[in-house]
Each structure stands twice: as C-alpha cells, then as structure tokens.
Amino acid sequence: MSTSAPEIAARSARGFRLDLKTVGPLLALALLVLLGISLNENFLSYSNLTNVLARSSFIGIIAIGATFVITAGGLDLSVGSMAAVIAGVMIMVMNWLIPSLGIGWSVVLAGMAAGILLGGVAGVFNGIMITRGRIEAFIVTLGTMGIFRSLVTFLANGGTLSLNFNVADVYRPVYYDGLLGVPYPIIVFALVAIAGEIVMRRTKFGRYCAAIGSNEQVARYSSINVDNVRLLTYILQGILVGVAVLLYVPRLGSASSTTGVLWELEAIAGVIIGGTTLKGGYGRVWGTVVGVVILGLIGNILNLQSLISPYLNGAFQGVIIILAVLLQRGRRTT
C-alpha cells in the first residue's frame, strides 16, 4: 500500500518536533555557552565552570526530586522553605551536640542525619495531606511553604542561626574540597542524576509515575497504587532537599528566613526547561540536569557582563518558565 505525500510530510513534521523536543535543551545550552564565551574570556575557565556547577548542584538535586513529583502529576512549592528549616535544625542540632560529642565528624554526621530525617518527615507530611487528605498539591505545599518559612524565622528569633566556628571548619571541606579536582557537590549532583535517570527509565516506579501523571484513572484501573506512588514522590523530594542542604550548610555555615528563597522557582524552571511536562505524564531527569545548568549559566553570564543587571535573574527565570510551558502547550495542540 503506497503512502501519500501528505502522510509522509506529516510523519516528517512529527519526527522533527520530536527531535526538537529532545535536542532543544541541549541546543539552548550550546547557545548560552557561545554567548558566555563572546561576553567574557574567563567564561570557560575551570574555576568559573566548577563554581557554576557547584552552586547549581543544590537546585539540581532538589529539581531531580521535583521531576518525579511533577511527572506523577504533582507539585511542591515548599522546597525552598523546607531547605531553610532543615538548614536551621541541622545547625541547632550540631551546636547542641558539641558538649556531648565534642568537635569533630561525629557532630557533623549527626547533623547530616537530622537533615535527611527532617526532609523525609516533611515529605511524608506533604504526601499524606495530598494523598490521604485529598487536598490539592498546590494548596498543601503553599501552606507548608509558609509554615516552614515561619518555623525557621522563629528558631532564629528573626535573625540568623550560625554554626559553631570550630564545627564549621570541620564541615567546610564538604563544599569546598573535592575528588580529583572536582568539588564534592558536583560529584553528589552527578550521582543523584545518574540514579534518578535509571529509576525514571528502568524501574516500575518511574513508569508508574509517568502513568499516573498521564491518566490517573487509567493507572488505578491498571492496579497501580496511585496514592502510595505519589506519596513516595514527595518523600523522595523531601529526602533530596535534605541532601542538597547537607551540601549547602558548609558553604555559609548559617541559616535565616532568607535561606532558600525562590529555590522552588528555580527547581520548577529547571524541570520544565528540561522537557518534563508540567501537567505530568512525561519526565526526564537528564533534561532537568541540563535545565538547571542553563539557569546557572544565565545567572553567571549576567554577573560576568555589564549590560544587564544581575538582579534581573529572577525575571529571566520567570519568563523562561512561561515560554517553556507555552512551547509545551503548542506541541500538544499541533
């Protein structure tokens, strides 16, 4: 049976859109690199690139968790405030344990454990309110965003929680040192990204997330435990926020009500730029990594040039989110 010219053209157009969807983030990344090179000769220096990647690692790790949440049809607006309260609690725990454990890695490890545990608990709370309480994810995480932000402000008494200087000296290498010249935050980011991509592509959990986000009712008819899978995405999100904070605290050694502000915007922007569908049903971790790096490069380029104020970085991120969603909607209607 022969194929008509219009059918061939339609198939070619669909293939082109699919290829553009796949290579689009990579193309944008390449264009940004070329722009950075043209604006500043130090853009490709090792110190600048490692600085960008290390700073992006916090958002990147959180965004990988957000990829699973969004793929499953959810949303978490509380990650920035959650990071702030986790950082505050970690600092308080480490300072409190100094008299009993002394200055050393035992105190730091205890603080790390407290951060991971609190992140998991926060994820459980969000997930249960959404899956068992049957409240919209937007409402629940908007509420916990305010709760977490108020908690860290209360714990800091309106000021700043600071880590003991001696403990900070012990903890500082976690951010500033590395392996074979690669900072530890970048290594952890890479490992989390690889594990996330494998889980998303090669496991039932990843396939279930996509199925739930695509059509929740069909997923239920297919004997998928929708509530449990969705709950696990929020727990994973909370744990990864904890991991990101473990790497963030040694950078500054403090936490306040301004810690993690707009991290939720950056995480969601990275996910959407990377090609994950905002309404759920399709997600890719490698795309999220590219999206986060794109955001990091935009901020870096704004700092390296003098034409546009770096204070407009948030405006650029907001515009990028809107454009990315418009492009996704355009692909669905064509």
Side-chain angles (χ1 to χ4, degrees):
M1 183 178 179
S2 61
T3 303
S4 65
E7 289 176 344
I8 295 175
R11 291 178 183 176
S12 299
R14 286 194 296 269
F16 176 75
R17 286 195 297 268
L18 179 61
D19 290 340
L20 186 60
K21 181 179 180 180
T22 302
V23 305
L26 295 175
L27 180 60
L29 179 61
L31 292 175
L32 272 176
V33 171
L34 292 175
L35 177 62
I37 294 173
S38 66
L39 291 175
N40 193 298
E41 61 182 10
N42 295 321
F43 177 78
L44 281 183
S45 66
Y46 177 78
S47 60
N48 184 60
L49 292 181
T50 53
N51 180 56
V52 171
L53 292 175
R55 286 172 174 266
S56 299
S57 62
F58 314 129
I59 301 300
I61 293 169
I62 294 172
I64 290 170
T67 303
F68 286 90
V69 171
I70 292 174
T71 300
L75 186 67
D76 193 342
L77 299 176
S78 68
V79 293
S81 300
M82 188 189 300
V85 75
I86 290 173
V89 170
M90 281 182 59
I91 290 171
M92 292 179 67
V93 167
M94 286 186 280
N95 288 341
W96 180 67
L97 288 176
I98 290 174
S100 56
L101 297 181
I103 305 296
W105 277 103
S106 56
V107 168
V108 173
L109 292 175
M112 289 180 170
I116 296 293
L117 178 62
L118 183 57
V121 170
V124 169
F125 181 81
N126 281 340
I128 287 180
M129 289 296 100
I130 292 165
T131 60
R132 271 59 176 183
R134 305 300 176 189
I135 307 173
E136 290 293 331
F138 176 84
I139 300 300
V140 171
T141 58
L142 185 65
T144 52
M145 177 174 68
I147 292 171
F148 296 150
R149 187 66 63 186
S150 295
L151 280 175
V152 72
T153 304
F154 167 75
L155 293 174
N157 196 27
T160 300
L161 292 165
S162 297
L163 185 61
N164 177 276
F165 287 116
N166 295 321
V167 176
D169 288 338
V170 175
Y171 199 178
R172 190 170 288 113
V174 172
Y175 178 81
Y176 289 100
D177 286 356
L179 183 65
L180 300 177
V182 181
Y184 288 124
I186 299 176
I187 296 173
V188 175
F189 181 22
L191 292 175
V192 171
I194 292 170
E197 182 66 20
I198 292 173
V199 171
M200 182 67 80
R201 294 284 167 237
R202 304 294 181 184
T203 68
K204 288 183 178 180
F205 178 70
R207 292 192 291 271
Y208 286 170
C209 287
I212 293 168
S214 179
N215 193 315
E216 182 177 329
Q217 291 304 317
V218 171
R220 292 185 186 276
Y221 293 148
S222 301
S223 300
I224 297 175
N225 194 323
V226 173
D227 290 340
N228 283 352
V229 171
R230 190 164 279 163
L231 173 61
L232 285 175
T233 64
Y234 286 98
I235 295 175
L236 176 63
Q237 175 75 92
I239 291 173
L240 289 181
V241 171
V243 172
V245 174
L246 300 188
L247 302 171
Y248 174 81
V249 168
R251 177 170 173 255
L252 299 177
S254 63
S256 68
S257 59
T258 60
T259 299
V261 169
L262 294 182
W263 279 16
E264 58 279 346
L265 174 65
E266 295 182 49
I268 294 172
V271 173
I272 303 306
I273 294 169
T276 296
T277 306
L278 185 59
K279 289 188 175 181
Y282 178 80
R284 54 186 187 193
V285 172
W286 73 264
T288 295
V289 172
V290 174
V292 169
V293 173
I294 287 174
L295 291 176
L297 289 179
I298 291 174
N300 182 245
I301 290 172
L302 289 175
N303 287 326
L304 291 177
Q305 54 79 50
S306 58
L307 299 176
I308 304 174
S309 171
Y311 297 120
L312 291 174
N313 189 24
F316 277 97
Q317 292 173 2
V319 170
I320 288 171
I321 292 177
I322 295 172
L323 290 177
V325 174
L326 284 175
L327 289 173
Q328 289 181 1
R329 182 172 297 175
R331 285 196 294 263
R332 289 196 298 269
T333 56
T334 54

